[in-house]
Amino acid sequence: MLRLQWLGLVLVLGMALVLAACGGDDEPSPTPTNTESPPENSTLAPARLDLQRDYERLRAAHTALAAVWEGLAAGEQVQCGDDLTPPGPENIAGGDPDQAELAGLLRRAAIDLDEAARLWQSECRNPRQNIDPQTINRGLLAVRSAGDALAEAETLLAD
């Protein structure tokens, strides 16, 4: 039961981060201290903002799925029931050639997270006492690969 509460807490925190990133507060935002001039082509900013939002949704999904697969690898009992469906790769913003590398990394993360989620959903549909170690390894590899892609994407977003 404690593990289920822990997983629930991780999901709630992940969703709180997503909601916080999307705004929603009534306080005015602080005046930016960045003195750089905006890019000449102002159409880049919305594309980058969309990719930032995609990154945040993928990061929240990664956190939840990593908790599941790492818990299983550690021999913990993980409860089914929570929807752990990440954003699909077809939903990742793109089209801006200047953001192609970032969009590609986010799509790769989405594909890997989709694989980890499908494996978990399959296990939940056919519950068994012990999950096959190969399945656990596949889930871990998918989650870790997604984490690598998200780390690379984070570096690009910081630039």
Side-chain angles (χ1 to χ4, degrees):
M1 187 66 171
L2 180 60
R3 290 181 188 116
L4 178 61
Q5 290 173 340
W6 181 81
L7 179 59
L9 177 63
V10 168
L11 290 173
V12 169
L13 290 175
M15 292 306 296
L17 287 173
V18 170
L19 290 174
C22 291
D25 58 6
D26 293 335
E27 296 180 25
S29 58
T31 305
T33 57
N34 186 356
T35 58
E36 294 179 26
S37 60
E40 290 180 29
N41 185 354
S42 62
T43 60
L44 294 180
R48 183 125 175 141
L49 183 60
D50 287 342
L51 290 172
Q52 175 70 36
R53 288 181 185 136
D54 291 335
Y55 167 82
E56 290 165 358
R57 286 191 299 264
L58 288 166
R59 178 57 73 189
H62 177 262
T63 299
L65 285 162
V68 167
W69 288 109
E70 290 170 4
L72 289 170
E76 298 175 3
Q77 293 291 327
V78 181
Q79 299 296 319
C80 295
D82 293 326
D83 181 21
L84 299 177
T85 306
E90 68 279 357
N91 297 324
I92 303 298
D96 186 338
D98 293 332
Q99 304 296 323
E101 183 180 6
L102 177 58
L105 287 167
L106 294 177
R107 283 188 193 100
R108 189 174 97 206
I111 290 167
D112 291 334
L113 289 172
D114 184 59
E115 172 69 11
R118 282 188 299 111
L119 283 170
W120 179 238
Q121 290 164 354
S122 175
E123 288 302 319
C124 287
R125 280 191 299 274
N126 301 309
R128 47 188 155 170
Q129 188 65 21
N130 294 315
I131 298 176
D132 179 42
Q134 289 179 325
T135 302
I136 293 174
N137 285 336
R138 285 179 55 203
L140 280 172
L141 287 173
V143 164
R144 289 176 181 163
S145 179
D148 291 345
L150 288 171
E152 288 180 54
E154 186 174 1
T155 300
L156 290 177
L157 284 167
D159 290 342

